[in-house]
Amino acid sequence: MSTDSTKAKPEGNSDRQLAEAILPLVGGAANVTSVSHCMTRMRLGLADRSRVQDEPLKALPGVLGVVEDDTYQIVLGPGKVARITPEFEALVEAEAEAARDRATAQVAAGQTAGDPAGDPAGAPRTADELAAEGAAIRAARKEKNATPVKLMLRRVANIFVPLIPALIGCGIVAGINGLFTNAGWLPALTPALAAIASGFMSLIAVFVGLNTAKEFGGTPVLGGAAAAVIVFPGVADVSAFGQKLAPGQGGVLGALFAALLAVYVEKACRRLVPSAVDVLVTPTVTVLVAGLVTLFGLMYVCGEIATGIGHLADWLLQHGGAAAGFVLGGLFLPLVMLGLHQALIPIHTTLIEQSGYTVLLPILAMAGAGQVGAAVAIYLRLRRNTSIRKTIRSALPAGFLGVGEPLIYGVSLPLGRPFITACVGGAFGGGVVGLFYQLGTSVGSTAIGPSGWALFPLLKGDQGLGAIAAIYGLGLAAGYLVGFVATYFFGFSKQMLSELNAPTETETAVGKGTSPEPPHPGSPEPSPAPAPAGGPGSLV
C-alpha cells in the first residue's frame, strides 16, 4: 500500500475507521504481536519495527503522536484510546483469521510455502522466522534501556495502570457527592453516591493482588485471595507485634507484597507437588502461607511504611512549602524521561487510600503547564517554521487537557533548551501550589492519571472546592506564564533561531514565482521533531 493511500483522513468518522487507518501503517495484523492500552496510549508489540510508517501514522487526524519504549505506543488521548483499542484488536484478529483461512486454502490446493507457484521468489520467510527476527529487534532495543530498576518500575506500573479508570470514575462520583452534601442537595441520594464512590477503594487491595499475580506469572485469583485477607473485617481479631490489626492495614503495598509472595509459593508448589494432587495442594498451600505471612508480618510492616509515606508527604509540604513544590514540579518531566515517575504510582494510591486524595499529583501536574507555556512561546518565536507551528497547533489542545507527550516528544525535547525552560515553568507552578499548602490549604486529587484542566473535576482538599480550584488554577497560570516567558527569552540561541526560521526550499521557490518540485513517490515528509527512540511512557 502506498504512502498516499494510507494517509486517509478519518476525522469525523467512527473509531473503527481510525483503527482501520492505523493498522496498515503499523505493518498489518501479521506485524502486531500484542495490543493493550493505558490512559492515553495504545501499546503495540511489533514483530518488525521497520515495517511501521511513522510519518504517515503521526499525520493521521486523531493520532496525537507516537512514543517508542518497550512497546510501540500510539498517543490517542484519554477516553478515545479505550474506544479505539477494542476496534483495533478486532481488526487484527479478523485479518489474522483471514490469513489462516488463506493458508489453509493454499495447502488444500497443493501450494506449499516452498512451491514456486506460491512464491515466485522461491525463498519465502515463514511466520516463525519473522517472529524470531522481530523478537531479536525488540530484544536489542530493550537491552539499551532495560535496567533492573526500570524493568521493575514498569511492572509496578502494569499493576496499577489498569486501576486508573475506576479511580477516576469513583473519584468524580466522590466529588459530586461532596458537592451535594455541602449544598444540602438530594439527601436521599448522597448515601448511595458515597457507597458507589467508596466501594472500589474498600476493595482496591484485591484488585492489586489480582494484577500483581497476573504480572508476575501466577494465578490471578490466588493473588487476589492472598490480598483479600487485608480487607477482611475479621482481621480485627488478630494481633501482630502486640497490636490488634485493623481492616485495610497495609493497604495497596501490603496487597502487592502478599500477592507477590503468593506467586513465589505457587511456583514452588508447581515444581515440587505431584501433578496428581496439585489441584488440591498448591492452592491450599499458596493461600495458607501467603495469608499467614500477611497477617503476622506484612500488614503491620506495610502499614507502618504507608503511614510513613503519608507523614513524609505532609511534612515535606508543610515545612518545604514553595521550595518543595518548586523542586517537585521542576523535576517531574526529567523523571518521566528517565521512566522513574512510575515509582510514584503506588505512593499516589497509598495517599488516596489514607486521606481520600493525593497532594502530590496537583504539584506534579504543573510540569504540563510549563510545557504548554513553552509551546506557545515556540509558536511565536518560529514564525517561519510552518511544520513546527502545525505540530504545536494540533498538540496544544491535548496539552491543555494534560496529554503532554505530543508536545514533549514532538516539540520541546528535540529542540533541547525549550525542554529546560518548560521545566522551569513547571517548577514555578508547583511552587505556587506548595506555598498554599504551607499556608494551610492543601490541594489534592482523588485519582491519578488526568492533569491539566482535566484534573479540575477530581480536586479535593481541606478547604472548599472553590478555594482549592482557585489555587490549582493559579498554579496552572503561573506554569503557563513562566514557561512562556522563560522559553520566549531564553529558549533559543541566535543560531537556533536563524536555522529554525530559515525559509525552506519550497518557500524560496514559491517566492520566486516557480512551482516547487513535487516530492519523489514514497519519500518521507519533513518532520521537525521526530519522537526519540526509547522514550518512556507517561504516568498512565
Side-chain angles (χ1 to χ4, degrees), residues 367-522:
Q371 188 70 38
V372 168
V376 175
I378 294 169
Y379 186 87
L380 295 179
R381 290 289 268 169
L382 303 184
R383 298 182 183 276
R384 297 291 303 275
N385 197 312
T386 57
S387 56
I388 289 182
R389 286 164 64 92
K390 180 180 178 182
T391 299
I392 293 174
R393 283 198 304 269
S394 63
L396 204 55
F400 279 109
L401 294 176
V403 182
E405 294 93 341
L407 291 174
I408 295 173
Y409 297 115
V411 181
S412 66
L413 184 63
L415 291 175
R417 286 170 63 164
F419 180 76
I420 298 174
T421 54
C423 293
V424 173
F428 275 87
V432 169
V433 179
L435 175 63
F436 277 95
Y437 192 102
Q438 191 174 19
L439 295 176
T441 302
S442 63
V443 178
S445 169
T446 57
I448 57 179
S451 60
W453 294 0
L455 197 63
F456 275 103
L458 295 168
L459 292 177
K460 186 178 180 181
D462 57 1
Q463 302 293 333
L465 182 58
I468 295 168
I471 294 171
Y472 179 71
L474 187 62
L476 286 179
Y480 295 149
L481 179 61
V482 175
F484 174 84
V485 172
T487 305
Y488 193 91
F489 291 104
F490 306 105
F492 298 93
S493 65
K494 291 183 178 179
Q495 182 179 355
M496 288 175 63
L497 284 175
S498 176
E499 293 175 352
L500 292 169
N501 270 322
T504 64
E505 294 181 6
T506 299
E507 290 173 331
T508 303
V510 172
K512 293 180 179 180
T514 60
S515 300
E517 181 181 355
H520 294 289

Side-chain angles (χ1 to χ4, degrees), residues 230 248-257 297-315 346-355 357 360:
I230 292 174
Q249 186 173 341
V252 295
L253 297 179
L256 191 155
F257 287 114
L298 290 177
M299 286 185 67
Y300 178 83
V301 173
C302 292
E304 293 298 304
I305 294 174
T307 300
I309 290 173
H311 289 328
L312 178 62
D314 184 65
W315 180 89
I347 295 176
H348 287 310
T349 310
T350 297
L351 293 174
I352 292 171
E353 245 190 339
Q354 288 180 342
S355 59
Y357 55 89
L360 295 179

Side-chain angles (χ1 to χ4, degrees), residues 31-282:
N31 198 39
V32 178
T33 60
S34 65
V35 183
S36 61
H37 73 88
C38 59
M39 276 293 298
T40 60
R41 308 177 186 181
M42 183 166 66
R43 300 169 181 252
L44 306 180
L46 300 174
D48 185 352
R49 170 64 181 83
S50 65
R51 295 173 63 185
V52 178
Q53 302 177 51
D54 294 287
E55 297 309 319
L57 180 59
K58 287 187 282 187
L60 283 177
V63 173
L64 302 178
V66 298
V67 178
E68 203 168 340
D69 196 5
D70 55 328
T71 56
Y72 190 81
Q73 303 168 13
I74 302 173
V75 184
L76 299 170
K80 196 167 186 177
V81 68
R83 298 193 300 270
I84 294 172
T85 301
E87 298 286 357
F88 185 86
E89 286 182 289
L91 289 172
V92 169
E93 179 57 33
E95 191 170 314
E97 182 66 28
R100 288 192 291 268
D101 291 342
R102 288 193 298 269
T104 302
Q106 287 181 350
V107 171
Q111 293 180 331
T112 62
D115 187 353
D119 181 71
R125 294 197 297 171
T126 65
D128 289 340
E129 289 172 339
L130 289 176
E133 183 179 337
I137 294 172
R138 291 197 303 275
R141 287 186 174 278
K142 288 181 181 180
E143 189 175 356
K144 296 175 64 176
N145 293 314
T147 63
V149 172
K150 288 184 179 179
L151 289 175
M152 180 55 65
L153 291 177
R154 285 173 184 165
R155 303 194 83 167
V156 170
N158 291 340
I159 293 168
F160 288 93
V161 165
L163 306 179
I164 290 177
L167 285 169
I168 293 174
C170 294
I172 291 177
V173 171
I176 295 172
N177 182 60
L179 178 64
F180 285 4
T181 300
N182 293 336
W185 298 340
L186 302 175
L189 181 62
T190 51
L193 294 178
I196 294 170
S198 304
F200 172 75
M201 289 304 302
S202 67
L203 295 174
I204 191 173
V206 179
F207 293 99
V208 170
L210 288 165
N211 289 348
T212 301
K214 180 179 179 181
E215 177 64 25
F216 285 91
T219 302
V221 72
L222 292 180
V229 173
I230 292 174
V231 296
F232 177 60
V235 298
D237 299 325
V238 180
S239 296
F241 298 94
Q243 298 181 13
K244 289 281 189 180
L245 296 176
Q249 186 173 341
V252 295
L253 297 179
L256 191 155
F257 287 114
L260 189 59
L261 175 61
V263 170
Y264 285 110
V265 173
E266 180 190 359
K267 289 183 176 180
C269 289
R270 300 291 185 199
R271 291 194 305 267
L272 301 175
V273 175
S275 57
V277 294
D278 177 78
V279 70
L280 297 175
V281 175
T282 297

